[in-house]
Amino acid sequence: MGIALNKMSVALRGKQVLDALSFSFERSCSLAVIGPTGSGKTTLLKALAGQLFSQGSYKYTPIMKKTVFVDQQHRFTTKQNTREFYYQQRFNSTDSTATITVAELLAGDTKHLHKWRDQFGIASSMHKPLIQLSNGESKRVQLIQALLSQPNLLVMDHPFAGMDKEGRKELTSQLECVNHEGIDIIMSCDPSDIPGFIDNSIVIDQGKLIFSGSTTEAIAAYQSFLSTKVIPQSILPYRCRELSVATFIEMHNVSVVYANRHVLKGIHWNLEKGEKWCIKGKNGSGKTTLLSLITADHPQAYSNHVSLFGKKRGSGESIWDIKKNIGYVSPELHLHFDRSATVYETVASGLYDTIGLFKKPSPDEQATVLEWISAMGLERYIDCPLFQLSLGTQRLVMLTRAFVKSPPLLILDEPCQGLDALQTKKIRDMLDSISQIIELSMVYVSHYEEDIPSCITHFLTLENGCIVSES
């Protein structure tokens, strides 16, 4: 068994993305691909899965009967087979069942379905509409759907993205079982997440091969490569507006219920001006729902005691009155963003809290947008369509969108998801620097301890919709 590439090259929209990649492994077809943000990892995986035209040669022994690509983002359709979702849809009871259920998606091969359903532990999720799945549930459903096609090779783009620590550990064990079934796996992931059964790895940067060899050697080579890279730190143009209220968020006995299923139960929590909180919890613990109450995206805020910036929800304020004080980024917002928007339009839309740019910014606003794009090192992408960039670069753009109006409250849900170690450090340093200069308030969510900036001083942990610890 083995895999070999000989001068594989891929050009997209006239730009060389992969440049004559060559490597071979004689005894293993399972492989990890690591590299910096925008290095070409996803392009390589899609080429290996036959989704992109490539030049050069690619050999896999034995001859593949079937290869399946598992995308980082789970994109599904409505019951009418369209992709016309809106961002707040999962929170609205009348529209939260607009997709088919897990059972309907996976219907067909009952024998293999029961096997993989039990292996991946999703029996209790079979009745859920796809739109209501947590990140962990959604990834497992993606994998089962791929496995039901009985592939010889799974090609997976960052399968651990958005998963909590325990979920990553469980998925690693489950993928090892898949591999023992004789299914080879090629994946991109963070070096710390490479499963133990993957003996070989490659490192790429800017579409070129940096190293190929054992996983241990590849990780060492990647760390050595990163140590030679320097990302210049910029002075950020953050000009926080002063708010006179002392309490930004107040929740008293807040509960959110869907069809007798409690997502949040009896939440009591305040965020005072200047405080910086990290919200922790496993996938499905209620973090996204809690954040949706803060960002004015959840209709059940009106039936609860939720006060934002000194005003109780339902007392006459509009959602725009709330959102103007908040800079927000999340994987879900990213997933539902206007796919036709350029980088400039994406960042500028943050001035108006819209998912796309629908008005022309004033000259002063244009200057602010350009200033932020420059500070974040995104000038070369300014006219590029957002969704033609690597996922990591897209998320950096979405983070810039959250910063652009210098809001007094930042809500950052997995802001470093998909970023490499250097970009993650840059974001942490930025947040720490801003916090030293102004009285910034923050809510930060991450499943990786190393991603949390040092300015965070308060921690809230959720479990099954309840607060289990607060410090």
Side-chain angles (χ1 to χ4, degrees):
M1 298 180 70
I3 184 172
L5 268 69
N6 183 32
K7 296 184 178 180
M8 177 180 276
S9 297
V10 174
L12 297 176
R13 295 169 291 276
K15 178 184 177 183
Q16 196 74 22
V17 182
L18 297 182
D19 187 5
L21 285 182
S22 298
F23 63 84
S24 64
F25 297 100
E26 294 183 0
R27 292 187 177 85
S28 176
C29 294
S30 288
L31 179 71
V33 181
I34 56 180
T37 302
S39 59
K41 300 186 294 295
T42 300
T43 299
L44 173 59
L45 295 183
K46 287 185 175 181
L48 294 179
Q51 293 198 353
L52 292 175
F53 174 77
S54 63
Q55 295 180 316
S57 64
Y58 165 41
K59 294 182 179 180
Y60 172 95
T61 308
I63 297 174
M64 286 176 288
K65 294 180 180 178
K66 189 160 192 177
T67 300
V68 176
F69 178 72
V70 182
D71 205 338
Q72 181 178 157
Q73 295 177 313
H74 189 189
R75 295 190 176 277
F76 42 81
T77 61
T78 66
K79 291 177 179 177
Q80 287 73 41
N81 201 34
T82 72
R83 295 188 184 276
E84 295 176 358
F85 294 100
Y86 61 92
Y87 167 58
Q88 299 96 336
Q89 186 161 340
R90 66 179 292 192
F91 307 125
N92 290 310
S93 58
T94 56
D95 293 334
S96 62
T97 58
T99 59
I100 61 175
T101 65
V102 174
E104 291 171 319
L105 176 72
L106 303 179
D109 188 344
T110 304
K111 176 184 175 181
H112 288 95
L113 171 58
H114 288 172
K115 170 187 174 181
W116 294 120
R117 180 198 67 186
D118 295 339
Q119 177 67 53
F120 282 88
I122 67 158
S124 62
S125 303
M126 296 295 287
H127 67 286
K128 290 185 179 180
L130 298 179
I131 199 172
Q132 293 182 14
L133 298 178
S134 70
N135 279 333
E137 291 171 325
S138 190
K139 181 57 63 179
R140 288 176 172 83
V141 169
Q142 272 186 286
L143 287 170
I144 293 173
Q145 185 180 23
L147 290 167
L148 288 177
S149 66
Q150 301 184 50
N152 298 85
L153 176 65
L154 275 182
V155 181
M156 310 170 66
D157 190 15
H158 283 278
F160 302 102
M163 300 191 74
D164 59 64
K165 184 177 181 180
E166 184 176 315
R168 298 196 300 272
K169 183 178 179 180
E170 290 177 356
L171 183 57
T172 296
S173 177
Q174 290 156 351
L175 290 176
E176 186 170 10
C177 291
V178 170
N179 185 243
H180 285 166
E181 292 272 343
I183 300 172
D184 293 315
I185 294 174
I186 298 177
M187 68 165 65
S188 63
C189 64
D190 187 271
S192 63
D193 289 331
I194 298 176
F197 67 85
I198 296 184
D199 296 325
N200 296 306
S201 299
I202 65 167
V203 182
I204 63 175
D205 180 51
Q206 296 182 6
K208 296 180 181 294
L209 184 71
I210 302 300
F211 181 86
S212 67
S214 73
T215 293
T216 301
E217 293 173 324
I219 292 174
Y222 180 54
Q223 291 172 339
S224 176
F225 170 75
L226 287 182
S227 69
T228 67
K229 294 283 187 177
V230 178
I231 296 182
Q233 294 296 321
S234 304
I235 298 176
L236 299 182
Y238 212 102
R239 307 174 184 92
C240 192
R241 290 179 289 104
E242 185 69 23
L243 293 181
S244 58
V245 296
T247 303
F248 279 12
I249 302 169
E250 181 184 352
M251 295 185 180
H252 179 70
N253 197 29
V254 168
S255 295
V256 172
V257 183
Y258 296 121
N260 298 320
R261 181 172 63 92
H262 278 77
V263 181
L264 292 177
K265 294 176 283 189
I267 300 295
H268 296 269
W269 178 53
N270 286 4
L271 182 147
E272 305 297 330
K273 182 178 180 180
E275 290 183 345
K276 299 166 188 63
W277 286 79
C278 177
I279 299 180
K280 306 174 74 173
K282 298 178 182 178
N283 292 121
S285 62
K287 300 187 301 298
T288 298
T289 301
L290 182 67
L291 295 184
S292 70
L293 294 170
I294 302 170
T295 57
D297 292 316
H298 205 300
Q300 292 193 38
Y302 295 106
S303 59
N304 280 283
H305 186 109
V306 177
S307 293
L308 302 173
F309 308 107
K311 293 184 178 180
K312 187 178 184 300
R313 291 307 315 276
S315 62
E317 84 294 350
S318 72
I319 63 171
W320 309 111
D321 292 330
I322 296 168
K323 287 180 177 293
K324 70 181 181 182
N325 295 316
I326 298 173
Y328 178 53
V329 66
S330 74
E332 189 164 44
L333 177 64
H334 179 193
L335 185 64
H336 289 86
F337 206 80
D338 181 3
R339 298 187 67 82
S340 67
T342 65
V343 167
Y344 174 87
E345 291 166 342
T346 300
V347 175
S349 72
L351 295 169
Y352 316 114
D353 305 301
T354 53
I355 302 182
L357 186 62
F358 306 108
K359 63 181 292 187
K360 184 177 180 180
S362 69
D364 286 345
E365 290 172 332
Q366 292 178 38
T368 297
V369 172
L370 294 175
E371 190 176 19
W372 272 105
I373 288 175
S374 176
M376 298 292 281
L378 296 168
E379 305 100 310
R380 60 179 167 154
Y381 305 116
I382 190 167
D383 294 321
C384 294
L386 176 68
F387 284 88
Q388 289 184 10
L389 303 176
S390 71
L391 276 173
T393 304
Q394 289 178 39
R395 290 193 168 115
L396 200 59
V397 174
M398 294 298 292
L399 189 60
T400 309
R401 176 186 181 275
F403 288 160
V404 71
K405 65 175 185 273
S406 298
L409 174 63
L410 284 175
I411 300 179
L412 307 179
D413 184 4
E414 296 285 357
C416 298
Q417 189 179 109
L419 301 184
D420 61 51
L422 287 182
Q423 293 285 12
T424 297
K425 182 180 184 302
K426 178 179 180 178
I427 298 306
R428 288 200 316 267
D429 291 347
M430 283 179 174
L431 294 174
D432 288 336
S433 297
I434 294 170
S435 298
Q436 291 174 4
I437 298 171
I438 61 176
E439 193 177 19
L440 178 68
S441 302
M442 190 187 310
V443 178
Y444 194 98
V445 177
S446 178
H447 291 302
Y448 290 84
E449 294 289 338
E450 60 270 24
D451 289 357
I452 301 173
S454 59
C455 63
I456 297 293
T457 54
H458 296 71
F459 294 86
L460 184 77
T461 304
L462 293 175
E463 186 175 313
N464 296 322
C466 299
I467 295 176
V468 294
S469 71
E470 184 176 345
S471 61

